[in-house]
Amino acid sequence: MHRRISHPGLQKLVMTAEQAAAMIQPGMTVAMSGFTGAGYPKAVPQALAAQMEAAHAKGEDFQIKVLTGASTAPELDGVLAKAGGMELRLPYQSDPTLRKRINDGELEYIDIHLGHVAQYTWFGFYGHVDLAVIEVVGINEDGSLIPSSSVGNNKTWLEQADKVIIEVNRQQPEAMDGMHDVYYGTALPPHRKPIMLVNPDDRIGEPYLRLDPEKVIAVVETDAPDRMTPFAAPDETSQQIAGHLLDFFDSEIKAGRLTNKLLPLQSGVGNIANAVLAGLSTAGYTGLTAYTEVIQDGMLHLIRDGVIRVASATSFSLSPAGIEEFNSNIDFYRKRIILRTQEISNHPELIRRLGCIAMNGMIEADIYGNVNSTHVAGTAMMNGIGGSGDFARNGFLSAFMSPSTAKGGKISGIVPMAAHVDHTEHDTMLIITERGLADLRGLSPKQRARVIIDKCAHPDFQPLLQDYFERASRDSLGKHTPHLLDESLAFHQRYVETGTSLPEPAGL
């Protein structure tokens, strides 16, 4: 009984999820574990959502503020959003029900660089943290915690929260013990010191999360898997985008700016990212390293095949097949994967010093290289900026990738002016679509516009973009970054009004 709970005092606090959830009160700020669908609490949020629904049925208000590491899953974000139980959410999400409530204006959402969340919490920017709900693999005899499939902000949540609820999940393999590296050397300004990490495989912390047992008010035992979405096989568009980036790596190696070991890789989540990772294998690379946020299927395969020697991250983001592969060969992977707190995995100074190659997706880019990662038509939130800004601004290379069109060719991925800007032209080096790669390094705004239109725009939209740029270069108030302000968002306005960025054919 309670085999994974070795601390005698905490064994006495084992209770049902319903009993634990009953300790969460309306108006609380609750910090929960979880990062990209891994390591989030499974039972307490569902019990809490049921209690919220019961309160609402009686006409009582029951909402809380929810902080996490990144996105979670239906058992957390989904059920709480469906219950109308969140008044505020940060810093990243991907649940469709939650997204709809955000875009309907029914709850407040703070989209923030993932590398900033822990320190902003310490600074007090989000107010007082009342309670933390953290999933772990197990509880050691001294009360320390074996982290789960994500570390995220759990160190900060455990330190900052007044009270703690622990979920001990038997589905998370015990063999993960020792895979984590939790750094306790951070401090508030002006007392910060250099972080002595010089290689992606350096260990600078501890394998466990520290815990004050006096804070714990409940321990809940669970047996539930992480909820991961299967990845589709890379399609032709994704493979073409990957091919352009791999050709670019070849040219950089020939120019002497990279070696055949490249530099530590950071990769966003998704099918394009997995296609890029798969391409590294077929291109013959070996002995690479990764310093990133998530380990996804493609990176797991590269580790298995020796393409990547070691990977540092803060979380997994695996499909069901990826989870099975990891669990079946965990002794192999635990020697080659390090999971850190996200304040270290996304630390700007470390990213800059290591020289990471940042590869992330986007919704759109404008002709001058400003990138929108988060908002459809400038107003509707998709998921959030995540960690892309942490890596794009500080990496050795920053690449943003997307198909040149969306919605079956109705929307252009390249627009005259981005309707929302997450990454300015100053942080963007490469724009890549299936059409080609635009290398923006060392180019002025007008030079960037010409190469982006030429290399990245879809043929259906290329003439429209070229015409806009030529007229703006002639008629704009200023000629440094030419724009026609009354037309600059015309692609977006047409989409909102008609469902396509393309104008109606002449004569209709």
Side-chain angles (χ1 to χ4, degrees):
M1 189 176 185
H2 313 323
R3 182 171 62 86
R4 293 200 183 192
I5 306 169
S6 299
H7 187 281
L10 297 184
Q11 288 179 357
K12 299 175 182 178
L13 295 178
V14 173
M15 62 184 70
T16 67
E18 290 72 21
Q19 290 171 320
M23 300 182 186
I24 302 176
Q25 300 300 311
M28 278 187 169
T29 295
V30 181
M32 300 196 192
S33 61
F35 194 107
T36 60
Y40 57 93
K42 279 72 172 178
V44 172
Q46 294 185 81
L48 176 62
Q51 293 173 17
M52 288 172 165
E53 290 176 340
H56 295 162
K58 298 176 184 177
E60 300 171 358
D61 183 42
F62 196 155
Q63 290 187 319
I64 61 172
K65 302 180 181 71
V66 177
L67 289 62
T68 64
S71 56
T72 62
E75 298 97 325
L76 197 165
D77 276 333
V79 295
L80 293 181
K82 182 180 178 182
M86 287 187 276
E87 61 175 288
L88 179 140
R89 178 73 170 87
L90 68 87
Y92 186 85
Q93 53 75 40
S94 61
D95 183 84
T97 304
L98 175 55
R99 182 186 302 119
K100 185 176 187 305
R101 286 196 177 273
I102 291 169
N103 289 321
D104 287 346
E106 296 173 0
L107 66 91
E108 301 300 327
Y109 175 58
I110 300 175
D111 185 25
I112 181 175
H113 298 297
L114 297 186
H116 287 175
V117 180
Q119 67 167 344
Y120 281 13
T121 303
W122 278 100
F123 294 163
F125 294 173
Y126 304 131
H128 190 73
V129 180
D130 298 294
L131 180 72
V133 185
I134 308 296
E135 180 188 270
V136 300
V137 170
I139 304 175
N140 294 318
E141 189 173 1
D142 63 357
S144 62
L145 305 174
I146 305 171
S148 184
S149 50
S150 68
V151 182
N153 289 316
N154 293 349
K155 167 188 170 289
T156 294
W157 301 157
L158 291 167
E159 291 174 322
Q160 287 283 293
D162 289 340
K163 300 177 181 179
V164 176
I165 296 173
I166 301 294
E167 283 198 10
V168 181
N169 188 353
R170 291 188 296 274
Q171 282 263 334
Q172 300 288 6
E174 289 182 277
M176 291 185 70
D177 188 349
M179 180 177 286
H180 309 85
D181 188 63
V182 184
Y183 180 64
Y184 279 92
T186 53
L188 297 179
H191 305 294
R192 286 177 169 165
K193 297 179 180 179
I195 299 170
M196 302 309 293
L197 187 152
V198 296
N199 297 293
D201 51 348
D202 287 348
R203 287 184 174 271
I204 59 173
E206 306 170 10
Y208 306 121
L209 289 160
R210 298 175 186 174
L211 172 68
D212 178 0
E214 295 298 319
K215 287 187 174 185
V216 180
I217 58 173
V219 177
V220 177
E221 293 182 294
T222 65
D223 190 1
D226 285 335
R227 185 74 65 92
M228 297 297 192
T229 302
F231 291 110
D235 58 14
E236 183 179 0
T237 297
S238 298
Q239 291 173 337
Q240 289 172 332
I241 292 171
H244 295 316
L245 182 57
L246 293 168
D247 288 344
F248 173 80
F249 287 159
D250 288 343
S251 68
E252 290 296 285
I253 292 170
K254 292 175 183 177
R257 288 186 284 265
L258 290 173
T259 72
N260 61 4
K261 300 302 181 186
L262 301 179
L263 283 166
L265 303 173
Q266 178 264 335
S267 175
V269 177
N271 293 327
I272 294 176
N274 272 318
V276 172
L277 295 174
L280 291 169
S281 180
T282 58
Y285 288 98
T286 61
L288 306 181
T289 62
Y291 194 85
T292 187
E293 299 167 293
V294 294
I295 306 293
Q296 54 187 331
D297 285 29
M299 195 165 288
L300 208 63
H301 298 158
L302 295 188
I303 297 170
R304 178 194 63 196
D305 298 339
V307 179
I308 289 181
R309 177 178 60 82
V310 65
S312 169
T314 193
S315 178
F316 288 102
S317 183
L318 302 174
S319 70
I323 293 174
E324 182 178 355
E325 163 67 20
F326 174 75
N327 289 343
S328 299
N329 300 283
I330 194 167
D331 289 336
F332 172 84
Y333 287 114
R334 69 193 297 274
K335 299 173 184 176
R336 294 162 175 85
I337 294 173
I338 302 172
L339 296 183
R340 310 182 189 275
T341 60
Q342 76 186 63
E343 62 187 301
I344 297 298
S345 69
N346 290 52
H347 196 287
E349 192 275 332
L350 296 176
I351 293 166
R352 176 166 293 192
R353 181 152 47 79
L354 293 173
C356 293
I357 296 174
M359 302 175 289
N360 291 286
M362 62 180 183
I363 290 176
E364 65 185 10
D366 69 26
I367 59 175
Y368 298 112
N370 299 292
V371 170
N372 172 14
S373 296
T374 59
H375 285 70
V376 175
T379 61
M381 171 59 63
M382 181 57 69
N383 296 331
I385 193 170
S388 57
D390 297 321
F391 286 89
R393 172 155 288 188
N394 299 289
F396 176 79
L397 286 171
S398 62
F400 287 96
M401 305 172 288
S402 172
S404 64
T405 62
K407 299 292 184 183
K410 294 180 179 180
I411 304 172
S412 177
I414 306 298
V415 296
M417 177 184 283
H420 176 90
V421 176
D422 295 290
H423 313 282
T424 73
E425 60 188 275
H426 311 293
D427 301 330
T428 306
M429 300 182 191
L430 308 174
I431 299 292
I432 313 171
T433 71
E434 82 283 0
R435 305 295 304 174
L437 181 148
D439 183 355
L440 309 181
R441 297 172 300 174
L443 301 184
S444 70
K446 291 192 291 292
Q447 291 171 328
R448 288 197 294 268
R450 294 185 184 102
V451 71
I452 289 173
I453 294 171
D454 180 55
K455 297 286 189 180
C456 299
H458 191 276
D460 289 349
F461 291 95
Q462 217 166 27
L464 297 172
L465 293 165
Q466 187 62 47
D467 174 67
Y468 173 87
F469 175 65
E470 290 175 356
R471 289 186 295 110
S473 296
R474 182 186 67 230
D475 301 332
S476 174
L477 173 65
K479 303 301 189 290
H480 175 65
T481 306
H483 269 304
L484 302 174
L485 298 181
D486 60 338
E487 292 186 38
S488 58
L489 297 178
F491 278 37
H492 304 86
Q493 188 61 37
R494 283 197 295 267
Y495 165 69
V496 170
E497 293 175 353
T498 68
T500 178
S501 297
L502 289 165
E504 292 185 1
L508 294 183

